[in-house]
Amino acid sequence: MTRILKIYTMPFLLALFVIVSLNSCDSGGGSGDESKDQAKSKGQDYDQNLTELDTSLYNSFFGNDELSEDIEQAKKIFHSIPSPLETAMLLKSAGAEYDDVLLNSNDNVERYTSTKSMALNLGIYTTDLSFASLFNYTQTAMDYMKAAKSMAEGLDITDAIDNETLELLEENLNQRDVVMDIISETFLNSSSYLKENKREDVAAIVLVGGWIEGLYLATKLVGDEPIKGNSLVDRILEQKLAFDIVRKVLADNLENENGKQNPDIVSLVTQLQPLKEAFDKVKVTTTEAKSVQGANQVSTIMSKTTVEVEPKDFEQIKVVVDQIRTSFIQ
Amino acid sequence: MRRTYHLIALLIVITFISFDASAQCKGFAKKMCKPELTPYIHDGNYHAALLLEGEEADLYKTFYSGQEYRLAVCGGAELPDIEFKVYDAAKNLLYDNTKDNNSRVWDFKMQSSQQLKIEIKVPVSPKPAEEPMEGCVSIMFGFKDTGE
C-alpha cells in the first residue's frame, strides 16, 4: 500500500510543483519582474539619483497626522485615485476643449522600456484615449488604444487589451457609450491584473501617470483666462484633494515586504515633490456636508467648498505640472 | 517519509487554492458587481479584497461638484449582506445602507467637491459556524456622461 501511494504521489507532487512554479513566474511581482527590469533599466528614466528617500523629503511629502492614523489601522484601507476615464470626464464637464496637439504622441511608444516609464505612459495614453473618445475623435481613440496596448504588453499584463478589444472598438467607434465601456473594461482588466499579481506599485504608477496627464491637459487648456469664476481653474485647484490620495497610495507602496524602498516610487516622489509644494499654497475649505434625498432616488450632498490661491501660485502649479509631465513622457 | 509527502502536497494545494481564491475577486467584481452600476459608466478602477465575517475596510475618494455618481458595494454569496456607511471629512454620516434595506448601491450628486470616506463591514452571520466565512467584497464607482 505504501509503495502504491509512493508511485501515485510522486508524479502528483511533481505536477503540482510545476503548476505552482509556473504560477509564481506568471504572477510577476517578485524576482522575475525585478530581473527583467534590471535588464531593461540601463539608461532608464530615473531623473534623480536617489534610491531611498531621506527623512526630510519623506516628511515633507508624506508627513501629516492623517497619514499616520491610516497606517496604524489594522483594517484594509483603499485609496481611490481618479481613473483616466474619470479624469477625462471631469475635464470635459469643466468646459475643456479638445486639442490633439497636447496629447502624448503615440510615436513615442518605443521610448518607454522601463517598468516605470511604461506604467506612467499606460496611464497617460489611457487618459488621452478617454479624452479623444469623449470628444468623438474616433480615429485618435483607436490609435491611442493601440499605444495603451503596447504599454500593457510591455508590462506583461496579459489579455487586458487584445486584438478582439481593438476589433470591438473599431466596430463601435461611433457609439460613445460602447467606447467608454470598452475603455473602462480594459482599464479594469489592467488594474485588477496588476493588483491580483502583487504588483500594486505598478498599478499605482499607472494611475499617477493618468492623473498627471489630466492635470497637464487642464493646465494647458485653461490658458491665461482669469482665475475667478473659471470652472476649469476650480477643477485644477480641487486636485489638491486628489493629490492627498495620490500621496497616500505612494506611501502604501513605498516599501516592499522586506522593508526596502521601491526605487520607482522613490523617484516618483522626488518628481512630484514640487507639486506638493505648489499645492501647499492652495487653501481648500469645505463646510459640513449633509445628504438630502431627491425625488428620483438620487441624494444630493449639500456643502460649500472654497478654493483660494494667489495668481502667481496658480502659475507655479502650471509650470510644475508641465515639468513633471515632460519628465514622464521623455 | 509518507507523512512528509502528504504535508508537502497539502502545503502546495493550500498555496494554489489561496492564489486562486484571490484571483476570483477579479471575476466576481466584473461579473457580479459591475452590472450593478448600469446605467452609470464604471470608472475602470478596481477595489476588491477577500474579507472574513466581522472584518472592516475603508475607502477614501474625492468626488467632484456637478457630477452624479453611483456607488456599488457587493459581497460574495457566501457572506451576509455587506453593510456600508458614507462619511464626509468631518465624520458626518451621509448614508447608511442598513437604513435602506441593505441596498448594494447608492446614487448621489455633489454640490461641491470633497473627499468622502466609505466604511465597509462584513457582519457576522447569525448562523453559528465553526469557521468564519470568507468571500470577495468589491467597491465600484460609476458616473454619468455629462454631455455630448
Side-chain angles (χ1 to χ4, degrees):
Chain A
M1 179 65 187
T2 309
R3 187 174 162 70
I4 292 169
L5 202 80
K6 273 184 189 168
I7 290 166
Y8 285 107
T9 310
M10 279 306 287
F12 171 70
L13 281 177
L14 276 170
L16 270 174
F17 180 74
V18 171
I19 291 166
V20 171
S21 306
L22 284 173
N23 257 333
S24 51
C25 290
D26 189 43
S27 69
S31 57
D33 194 49
E34 271 168 30
S35 58
K36 184 179 174 187
D37 225 10
Q38 277 162 7
K40 285 180 173 177
S41 70
K42 283 177 188 166
Q44 70 183 349
D45 55 350
Y46 297 155
D47 59 350
Q48 305 283 334
N49 293 324
L50 280 180
T51 54
E52 196 162 311
L53 294 180
D54 60 33
T55 315
S56 149
L57 181 53
Y58 183 95
N59 289 339
S60 170
F61 194 81
F62 295 120
N64 72 35
D65 294 336
E66 220 180 305
L67 279 172
S68 322
E69 238 176 67
D70 283 353
I71 290 162
E72 281 163 20
Q73 288 176 10
K75 60 184 167 182
K76 175 86 184 160
I77 307 283
F78 297 97
H79 294 113
S80 188
I81 300 175
S83 69
L85 190 56
E86 186 184 1
T87 297
M89 176 61 77
L90 290 170
L91 278 176
K92 192 176 182 205
S93 67
E97 298 289 333
Y98 180 77
D99 183 354
D100 66 354
V101 171
L102 297 174
L103 310 184
N104 181 22
S105 168
N106 54 353
D107 292 338
N108 291 343
V109 290
E110 299 297 327
R111 288 185 190 177
Y112 312 123
T113 52
S114 69
T115 294
K116 184 189 162 205
S117 64
M118 286 188 289
L120 284 172
N121 284 284
L122 173 56
I124 288 170
Y125 283 133
T126 311
T127 296
D128 289 348
L129 151 69
S130 306
F131 193 55
S133 302
L134 285 173
F135 285 88
N136 301 319
Y137 283 82
T138 52
Q139 189 50 51
T140 310
M142 192 69 203
D143 294 342
Y144 277 79
M145 181 62 96
K146 287 177 186 163
K149 179 177 187 283
S150 170
M151 296 296 98
E153 284 170 353
L155 291 164
D156 293 331
I157 303 170
T158 52
D159 299 334
I161 309 169
D162 52 18
N163 289 331
E164 217 172 284
T165 312
L166 293 177
E167 281 166 25
L168 194 64
L169 184 66
E170 197 151 28
E171 285 163 15
N172 293 282
L173 277 173
N174 294 320
Q175 295 187 62
R176 200 165 74 180
D177 284 356
V178 181
V179 171
M180 286 204 282
D181 195 50
I182 294 169
I183 297 169
S184 150
E185 185 82 2
T186 55
F187 197 72
L188 175 64
N189 288 341
S190 307
S191 52
S192 58
Y193 181 89
L194 289 169
K195 287 182 180 177
E196 296 212 327
N197 287 287
K198 298 191 164 101
R199 295 168 74 191
E200 296 220 17
D201 54 338
V202 180
I205 297 170
V206 173
L207 281 164
V208 171
W211 179 73
I212 283 289
E213 182 70 353
L215 203 48
Y216 169 79
L217 295 173
T219 51
K220 287 292 170 191
L221 291 167
V222 79
D224 296 321
E225 299 279 318
I227 291 179
K228 287 229 169 183
N230 185 326
S231 43
L232 198 49
V233 171
D234 288 345
R235 205 55 108 206
I236 292 165
L237 297 175
E238 287 163 359
Q239 295 308 310
K240 178 180 173 144
L241 300 168
F243 190 55
D244 285 344
I245 293 178
V246 167
R247 290 187 304 116
K248 287 174 187 176
V249 169
L250 294 176
D252 290 345
N253 290 286
L254 179 63
E255 290 186 355
N256 64 20
E257 286 161 0
N258 305 321
K260 212 175 159 205
Q261 290 190 356
N262 178 328
D264 285 345
I265 304 292
V266 169
S267 100
L268 200 49
V269 168
T270 59
Q271 286 171 292
L272 294 174
Q273 173 61 16
L275 187 59
K276 165 78 170 55
E277 288 162 15
F279 270 137
D280 281 347
K281 291 173 183 150
V282 179
K283 194 177 168 198
V284 182
T285 44
T286 307
T287 60
E288 282 196 9
K290 77 174 176 187
S291 175
V292 177
Q293 175 77 56
N296 53 355
Q297 295 297 309
V298 179
S299 301
T300 303
I301 310 298
M302 313 284 283
S303 67
K304 189 170 166 50
T305 298
T306 313
V307 185
E308 293 168 69
V309 69
E310 292 293 325
K312 66 175 173 52
D313 295 329
F314 183 64
E315 287 306 310
Q316 182 61 17
I317 291 173
K318 288 160 71 177
V319 169
V320 162
V321 169
D322 186 55
Q323 287 167 347
I324 294 170
R325 197 272 195 165
T326 302
S327 70
F328 283 4
I329 66 161
Q330 269 173 359
Chain B
M1 193 62 180
R2 197 177 111 187
R3 219 176 141 184
T4 316
Y5 278 142
H6 280 158
L7 194 67
I8 294 168
L10 188 69
L11 282 171
I12 292 170
V13 168
I14 287 169
T15 312
F16 198 53
I17 287 170
S18 63
F19 175 84
D20 239 3
S22 159
Q24 280 168 9
C25 286
K26 175 181 168 182
F28 169 79
K30 280 175 75 170
K31 290 191 180 73
M32 307 304 290
C33 203
K34 197 181 163 198
E36 299 275 357
L37 294 175
T38 310
Y40 291 70
I41 300 155
H42 176 226
D43 66 3
N45 274 338
Y46 175 72
H47 309 291
L50 278 169
L51 294 181
L52 286 163
E53 282 180 326
E55 274 196 303
E56 294 180 24
D58 291 344
L59 184 143
Y60 295 85
K61 178 173 169 64
T62 305
F63 297 88
Y64 294 90
S65 59
Q67 302 298 119
E68 195 173 318
Y69 297 92
R70 172 169 288 182
L71 158 66
V73 181
C74 318
E78 61 277 38
L79 296 175
D81 288 342
I82 308 298
E83 297 174 3
F84 69 94
K85 294 184 174 76
V86 181
Y87 296 90
D88 73 354
K91 297 181 181 164
N92 292 303
L93 179 65
L94 302 173
Y95 179 75
D96 179 351
N97 81 323
T98 62
K99 305 225 163 67
D100 189 17
N101 297 318
N102 289 319
S103 174
R104 286 156 73 105
V105 298
W106 184 46
D107 297 345
F108 60 101
K109 57 186 175 191
M110 304 296 292
Q111 192 183 46
S112 67
S113 303
Q114 61 179 294
Q115 206 182 98
L116 301 179
K117 174 187 173 185
I118 294 118
E119 211 174 76
I120 296 113
K121 185 179 178 185
V122 185
V124 177
S125 170
K127 293 175 200 161
E130 278 182 24
E131 294 288 329
M133 294 300 288
E134 186 182 49
C136 291
V137 175
S138 173
I139 308 140
M140 290 185 142
F141 299 96
F143 54 80
K144 280 251 168 99
D145 183 358
T146 46
E148 287 302 309

